[in-house]
Amino acid sequence: MRYFIFFLCFISLDISASLPTKEELLHAGIPLVEITTINSEEPTCDYVSAPEGAVGESIANATKVGGRMKIWMGEDLLYDSGDYLQEKSGMTVKIHGNTSAYADKKSFKVKLQKKSDLLFRNSVDFKDKDWLLIRTEIGFEGDHLLYAMIGKKVSELTGMPYTPQNCFVNVMFNGDYRGLYMLSETVSRNESCRINVDKDEGYIIEKDPYWWNTSISLLTSIYQLHYTIKYPDSDKISESMLDEIQYYLEQIELGLLNGTYAQYIDVESLARWTLTHDILGTADAGGSNIFLTRHDTNASTKMVMGPLWDFDSIMQTDDQWSRVHGTTDGEFYIYELFYKYTEYNTPLTEAYHRLWNQYKDTLFDNIVLYLNDFRDSVEGKAVELSQTWDDSRWVSFHQPFSEIVDKAINWFTHRRQWMEMTVCSTPVITAPAFDKSAALNKYDLAGRHINSSYRGVTVSKKGKKTQASPYMP
């Protein structure tokens, strides 16, 4: 036993010795984010599981800890929030995420007390209070080190109207090296640089599997999908706005059934969003990554898809469509549009093919060029070095950096070939589909449309209701 203990001690000493000093971090080639909290307090949270009938694991009661943030590049101090003074200086930090928060290496949400652009783009337009420090990770399907970077680039190349910007950084938290992170914008309203929705009438919503862990969520009556409200904040949203959002979602879903969906949802954005996921090969359709926005409540204003978010499952659907196309109820509407109601799918199919023809000749070449350039760049070399420090800090083992880049290049090279052969024909998925007749003619006892998977008491009648009551746990 004493030999085993000695071996563990040897490993511990070796790991400690391989952690970087602050001087090494300053000169790594990427920014160093240095966070110091009041009394070195660590943010905490409670861990919660979904109630019966829902899915997922998440966190609750995440504490906000006040402190100071500095960002360095070399010996240059690029940013200093100052000491924490509510609404005047400093920042607060809390644990961020759902299932990712269960890992030892946490992601964090940072709220500045005074707006600033932490990506230093030399314009006041980019100033904001809300920022994320997203952990790099190794996932179930391989090394995710570059996934957020790749997802952002593809989103930009396909012309998504807004793509959250980010960059690699090293993080020290109360003097402790926490590893390699992505410093990122949040999905939030900012009319000058993020999502431009009207301050009073606009909204941002998310088709969200973690609806059960929010103060307000909406349940659609036809497709039985849960949405949460990202803007306005829950303490600022009115009952009339909730009713407006609920009503509009019902109109979209009825439009999917009767072919009028193009009156309510911006088809170009829906096609662009779907195509981007197909290029990326996204395997997660149920996760928290489906955002929709509406600028205002004018009758002529349509719902817009995006932005894309949460790229943890990209490059995983080899030789098949991304899972946003859907094969079962409860994911999203793409299956219905592409595969079920062919008499109504013309607007989306035409927009999808038009965008594919616009980007197919250059997009994949640009992805490969971007990855090769990143590998040889100062930032790429810094990420490669920082990855080894992160491995030592968290006793994890990434693939060699160059192999990660090669794997991504090979994946997109093959993806191009598959899509060139496949997009030209109407894609077909033989899988259970949503029961249109049941949706139009059956209701639960609350008067809401239900789908074919519903197992409660139903009422059948002619006619249809178009609005359900918001779910407020």
Side-chain angles (χ1 to χ4, degrees):
M1 175 62 74
R2 67 176 178 269
Y3 298 109
F4 179 67
I5 293 173
F6 173 78
F7 179 67
L8 288 179
C9 291
F10 175 78
I11 292 178
S12 177
L13 288 173
D14 184 63
I15 291 173
S16 176
S18 61
L19 291 180
T21 64
K22 181 177 177 179
E23 187 68 18
E24 289 175 315
L25 291 169
L26 288 174
H27 296 93
I30 56 175
L32 167 63
V33 174
E34 190 175 19
I35 293 175
T36 306
T37 62
I38 298 172
N39 298 323
S40 298
E41 183 180 356
E42 290 283 332
T44 62
C45 65
D46 296 328
Y47 297 95
V48 294
S49 296
E52 185 176 356
V55 297
E57 294 179 321
S58 189
I59 61 174
N61 303 319
T63 60
K64 292 182 181 180
V65 178
R68 182 174 190 166
M69 171 187 279
K70 296 180 180 180
I71 301 180
W72 302 81
M73 189 66 180
E75 299 292 338
D76 296 327
L77 180 60
L78 302 181
Y79 172 77
D80 186 351
S81 71
D83 291 331
Y84 176 70
L85 187 60
Q86 188 173 358
E87 298 184 0
K88 291 187 177 181
S89 64
M91 55 93 217
T92 60
V93 59
K94 68 177 183 178
I95 296 171
H96 172 78
N98 292 296
T99 55
S100 63
Y102 284 66
D104 290 337
K105 184 182 179 184
K106 310 292 186 187
S107 295
F108 299 102
K109 183 171 184 178
V110 172
K111 190 172 189 68
L112 306 179
Q113 298 303 293
K114 186 176 180 180
K115 290 182 179 181
S116 187
D117 176 23
L118 302 186
L119 298 178
F120 309 109
R121 288 162 287 188
N122 298 317
S123 172
V124 295
D125 290 343
F126 295 108
K127 289 186 175 183
D128 203 280
K129 290 184 176 182
D130 295 319
W131 299 86
L132 292 175
L133 286 167
I134 305 172
R135 69 190 183 108
T136 58
E137 62 179 311
I138 299 175
F140 295 115
E141 299 293 333
D143 205 312
H144 293 186
L145 178 66
L146 303 182
Y147 277 16
M149 183 192 81
I150 292 170
K152 180 190 78 169
K153 185 62 178 180
V154 174
S155 178
E156 291 172 345
L157 289 173
T158 56
M160 290 295 293
Y162 166 64
T163 298
Q165 297 298 294
N166 52 44
C167 73
F168 283 104
V169 297
N170 281 301
V171 174
M172 289 193 74
F173 203 107
N174 291 327
D176 175 30
Y177 177 63
R178 297 296 172 92
L180 182 63
Y181 281 76
M182 295 295 289
L183 173 60
S184 176
E185 296 178 332
T186 62
V187 176
S188 56
R189 179 193 177 275
N190 186 320
E191 61 184 9
S192 62
C193 64
R194 298 189 184 181
I195 301 176
N196 180 17
V197 297
D198 185 85
K199 184 177 181 181
D200 299 318
E201 294 188 348
Y203 51 87
I204 305 167
I205 61 175
E206 179 181 6
K207 188 266 174 184
D208 192 351
Y210 298 99
W211 57 270
W212 50 268
N213 195 31
T214 60
S215 59
I216 298 176
S217 67
L218 303 176
L219 174 65
T220 62
S221 62
I222 300 178
Y223 284 78
Q224 300 282 282
L225 301 186
H226 291 277
Y227 288 86
T228 57
I229 316 297
K230 301 305 173 185
Y231 180 85
D233 292 338
S234 58
D235 60 344
K236 296 179 180 178
I237 191 166
S238 65
E239 287 290 338
S240 61
M241 176 61 82
L242 282 175
D243 290 343
E244 165 66 30
I245 298 171
Q246 180 81 51
Y247 175 78
Y248 203 83
L249 287 171
E250 301 294 341
Q251 297 310 301
I252 289 175
E253 293 194 350
L254 286 170
L256 296 174
L257 299 181
N258 62 27
T260 63
Y261 68 92
Q263 297 178 23
Y264 304 103
I265 191 165
D266 183 279
V267 174
E268 185 89 358
S269 73
L270 182 59
R272 195 181 301 274
W273 180 87
T274 307
L275 175 63
T276 308
H277 276 299
D278 285 343
I279 292 168
L280 288 168
T282 307
D284 182 9
S288 50
N289 57 2
I290 301 179
F291 290 97
L292 301 89
T293 68
R294 192 166 177 230
H295 182 268
D296 55 49
T297 57
N298 291 331
S300 60
T301 303
K302 298 179 182 181
M303 194 80 82
V304 176
M305 291 300 302
L308 272 73
W309 185 259
D310 194 355
F311 299 107
D312 290 349
S313 69
I314 67 171
M315 303 192 301
Q316 293 179 25
T317 59
D318 294 334
D319 295 338
Q320 56 185 313
W321 299 104
S322 65
R323 204 171 147 227
V324 299
H325 284 239
T327 57
T328 59
D329 294 344
E331 291 180 349
F332 202 56
Y333 308 122
I334 303 302
Y335 176 87
E336 305 303 315
L337 291 169
F338 274 143
Y339 311 117
K340 184 69 186 294
Y341 310 127
T342 55
E343 69 269 30
Y344 298 144
N345 73 359
T346 301
L348 179 59
T349 302
E350 289 181 349
Y352 187 99
H353 281 270
R354 182 172 63 253
L355 290 170
W356 166 251
N357 289 328
Q358 177 181 344
Y359 295 116
K360 66 178 182 179
D361 293 333
T362 58
L363 185 140
F364 289 94
D365 289 337
N366 286 332
I367 296 172
V368 172
L369 179 63
Y370 174 73
L371 288 167
N372 276 319
D373 285 347
F374 181 79
R375 174 173 21 208
D376 297 332
S377 68
V378 172
E379 183 182 10
K381 299 298 183 184
V383 169
E384 182 176 17
L385 173 61
S386 300
Q387 166 193 333
T388 63
W389 292 333
D390 190 283
D391 284 345
S392 296
R393 174 62 178 83
W394 298 107
V395 197
S396 59
F397 302 95
H398 286 83
Q399 294 172 262
F401 180 75
S402 192
E403 289 183 15
I404 296 173
V405 177
D406 285 339
K407 177 183 176 182
I409 290 173
N410 291 337
W411 196 91
F412 282 107
T413 300
H414 180 78
R415 190 64 171 175
R416 177 180 195 166
Q417 296 169 352
W418 182 82
M419 291 194 70
E420 286 175 343
M421 291 187 298
T422 310
V423 173
C424 60
S425 62
T426 302
V428 175
I429 293 179
T430 55
F434 186 77
D435 189 336
K436 177 180 179 181
S437 61
L440 289 175
N441 299 310
K442 290 187 178 181
Y443 304 82
D444 64 15
L445 294 182
R448 295 173 297 196
H449 292 288
I450 55 90
N451 63 28
S452 56
S453 65
Y454 182 77
R455 295 294 179 264
V457 177
T458 65
V459 176
S460 297
K461 64 177 182 177
K462 294 181 180 179
K464 53 185 177 288
K465 295 185 178 181
T466 60
Q467 190 164 354
S469 299
Y471 177 89
M472 291 190 179

